[in-house]
Amino acid sequence: PDQQQLILIVGAGQAGAELAFALRQTGSTARIVIVGDEPFAPYQRPPLSKSYLAGKVDLAALYVKPKEAYDTANIELRTAVRAEHVDRSAKVVRLSDGSTMLYDKLVFATGGRPRPLQAKGVQDAPRLGNLHYLRTVGDVDRIHRQFQPGFRMVLIGGGYVGLEVAAAAREHGMHVTVLEAMPRVLARVTVPEISAFYERVHREAGVEIRTSAVVSSIVTDESGDAVTAIVCSDGSTTPADVVVVGIGLLPNTELAERSGLEVKDGIVVDELTRTADPDVLAIGDCTRHPNVMYGRHVRLESVPNALEQARTAAATLCGQHRPHHAVPWFWSDQFDLKLQMVGLADGHDRLVLRGSTSTRSFSAFYMKEGRVIAADAVNRPQDFMIAKRLVAQQSMVDPSRLADESQPLKTLASAPPV
Ligand code: FAD
């Protein structure tokens, strides 16, 4: 009976692709169709601001699965086509090529798009050839034309994407300035100690970091087709040959919202990735979902979350119960530094450092009421492995032992709660 079922996945990103293959692994014999508006097969985005930007890997290395794998698994992949309208009562989706598709189950895996820069002059100059965002392979391919040693690059936004691009550009011999509106970089995602560490590392590498720098307008050349400088609200002007804006993500929720589904900065789903419509699910960056560990709803922008929700959705669609319980984690590569983070630190009442932020290898543990709720590890993969366990178990540990490097972390993870 399953034979006639059609599972339609809207969005050919990492979540969508993982779901399609996970469905086959779980034994689904449904017809599986993925539609994606980019011209490529699903690919991994993290290298876009790292090795792909640096020219160290090509597009083929980014694909989630080789193209043949879709045929082998009997997954229909339709690229360069957009889902434009969803009618949930008729269970039909209209696509940008004019065709329609009837579905039995529909999954939104629509991800997000860059938050647009609001600054005087940007809206008047839609053709700016050297002002870029960074979400897609297409974006990076455009940046590459101006990714030249000696060029002046200005990053608007000192979040992970901005800092990763800054590192790659600096290593490529560019002059790099980061303009961050908040008083410190990474303010949205980490504590002042870690922000200070990254600001120092970037400055030592020759990146100019300017905080509390609120961009107010852009200056263009006579043709109006290129930015020549960025102006901040304090009147300062930063000349630029190329500008990359990394100021956050807007989840692609409009299609779901117009179909009448609940949206709150993310398509609202439960721990089984279901919306209120039993035939419609949503996964990945576009969702707001419950996190059991933290007792609240979150929207996460990370590959591990996209993969985890995809596996949960595959189970749900196959009639299995596999709630999505994963502890959030994330990573970022800048220069020689591998940062790995686990858990959500907000609400912590104590920060414990293991090692020193004056070196290039240390860990930070975030505690709340004596329990480890999150951790960051810089160039400490072993600490990170154990930190994942401590966070997953919300272990009670003695902070002085956590800070004491003569005490192996392993013994803390296995110690009975104090
Ligand atoms: P997406 O990858 O955004 O895929 C959604 C797809 O759906 C897109 O192709 C979109 O165009 C398409 N789509 C949207 N609407 C429609 C429609 N109506 N019809 C058809 N198609 C549609 N995460 C980490 O964990 N670690 C990292 O180091 C890291 N680095 C990153 C660096 C960069 C530069 C970026 C941009 C992201 C990074 N991320 C990182 C985040 C990670 O890439 C995302 O969390 C992940 O890609 C989410 O997958 P997704 O499938 O939910 O969404």
Side-chain angles (χ1 to χ4, degrees):
D2 203 20
Q3 208 73 45
Q4 291 85 37
Q5 259 224 343
L6 192 149
I7 300 175
L8 176 59
I9 302 169
V10 176
Q14 217 160 349
E18 178 71 15
L19 168 60
F21 287 93
L23 277 167
R24 287 290 179 247
Q25 274 155 23
T26 319
S28 172
T29 54
R31 182 176 165 207
I32 302 173
V33 180
I34 313 179
V35 296
D37 57 3
E38 290 185 66
F40 309 105
Y43 57 87
Q44 306 165 54
R45 292 184 204 280
L48 294 182
S49 50
K50 308 176 182 84
S51 53
Y52 185 74
L53 177 65
K56 291 178 188 154
V57 297
D58 59 13
L59 177 56
L62 269 47
Y63 287 126
V64 173
K65 295 275 181 187
K67 290 194 184 127
E68 314 77 68
Y70 294 83
D71 290 339
T72 310
N74 196 17
I75 293 164
E76 293 170 48
L77 176 62
R78 297 182 59 183
T79 52
V81 64
R82 240 185 114 64
E84 292 194 320
H85 183 78
V86 173
D87 179 343
R88 289 190 294 117
S89 52
K91 297 178 81 168
V92 64
V93 174
R94 194 179 68 228
L95 304 178
S96 54
D97 62 3
S99 65
T100 53
M101 286 195 81
L102 282 165
Y103 65 82
D104 296 291
K105 302 283 178 185
L106 175 68
V107 184
F108 288 102
T110 47
R113 59 184 182 279
R115 180 184 297 280
L117 175 67
Q118 305 285 341
K120 211 167 138 253
V122 176
Q123 288 76 11
D124 315 335
R127 297 163 305 164
L128 293 172
N130 65 344
L131 184 128
H132 307 282
Y133 294 89
L134 207 177
R135 182 75 188 169
T136 65
V137 162
D139 292 335
V140 184
D141 290 350
R142 279 185 293 274
I143 293 171
H144 268 154
R145 283 180 229 143
Q146 292 136 9
F147 199 72
Q148 307 282 351
F151 274 36
R152 295 162 302 178
M153 178 183 271
V154 175
L155 279 321
I156 300 181
Y160 290 122
V161 170
L163 293 185
E164 288 180 353
V165 174
R170 190 67 203 119
E171 285 180 331
H172 197 61
M174 299 177 75
H175 303 287
V176 184
T177 305
V178 176
L179 303 177
E180 166 55 54
M182 305 285 279
R184 57 185 175 95
V185 300
L186 302 174
R188 207 167 52 93
V189 289
T190 194
V191 290
E193 288 82 350
I194 306 284
S195 296
F197 169 76
Y198 275 97
E199 286 176 13
R200 179 172 60 75
V201 164
H202 276 267
R203 284 186 175 127
E204 281 172 6
V207 174
E208 188 176 338
I209 304 253
R210 294 185 42 213
T211 53
S212 302
V214 179
V215 172
S216 56
S217 66
I218 60 166
V219 182
T220 57
D221 67 4
E222 277 162 23
S223 69
D225 290 349
V227 183
T228 55
I230 302 294
V231 183
C232 287
S233 55
D234 64 359
S236 63
T237 296
T238 311
D241 299 308
V242 50
V243 179
V244 178
V245 181
I247 54 173
L249 183 93
L250 297 176
N252 290 326
T253 54
E254 290 79 0
L255 195 60
E257 193 164 21
R258 284 200 308 268
S259 79
L261 292 168
E262 189 188 0
V263 165
K264 275 188 207 153
D265 177 44
I267 304 167
V268 177
V269 294
D270 66 8
E271 72 284 2
L272 298 176
T273 71
R274 298 174 303 191
T275 67
D277 180 334
D279 296 319
V280 182
L281 285 67
I283 56 176
D285 282 17
C286 66
T287 66
R288 173 159 299 268
H289 56 271
N291 185 290
V292 179
M293 233 180 89
Y294 297 95
R296 59 188 159 99
H297 282 68
V298 295
R299 190 175 66 73
L300 300 175
E301 297 163 12
S302 82
V303 167
N305 177 65
L307 300 183
E308 181 62 23
Q309 280 192 307
R311 288 168 201 147
T312 290
T316 301
L317 288 167
C318 292
Q320 299 171 7
H321 185 84
R322 181 196 183 279
H324 153 241
H325 275 321
V327 184
W329 68 276
F330 191 78
W331 73 93
S332 175
D333 300 327
Q334 299 166 40
F335 302 110
D336 58 329
L337 303 171
K338 181 153 203 84
L339 169 65
Q340 294 167 294
M341 293 148 280
V342 58
L344 303 176
D346 26 326
H348 72 277
D349 51 32
R350 185 166 191 159
L351 171 71
V352 179
L353 285 173
R354 185 175 174 89
S356 164
T357 57
S358 62
T359 68
R360 291 173 97 84
S361 162
F362 62 89
S363 306
F365 294 86
Y366 303 88
M367 306 193 63
K368 187 179 179 183
E369 291 156 11
R371 296 178 185 278
V372 181
I373 59 164
D376 300 336
V378 174
N379 284 345
R380 289 208 176 185
Q382 275 92 1
D383 278 13
F384 183 68
M385 297 251 293
I386 295 161
K388 268 177 132 176
R389 255 163 50 206
L390 292 172
V391 173
Q393 296 161 1
Q394 308 230 323
S395 305
M396 281 264 197
V397 294
D398 177 351
S400 61
R401 289 180 65 198
L402 208 49
D404 179 357
E405 296 207 69
S406 69
Q407 304 249 1
L409 264 189
K410 240 198 253 163
T411 58
L412 296 180
S414 52
V418 289

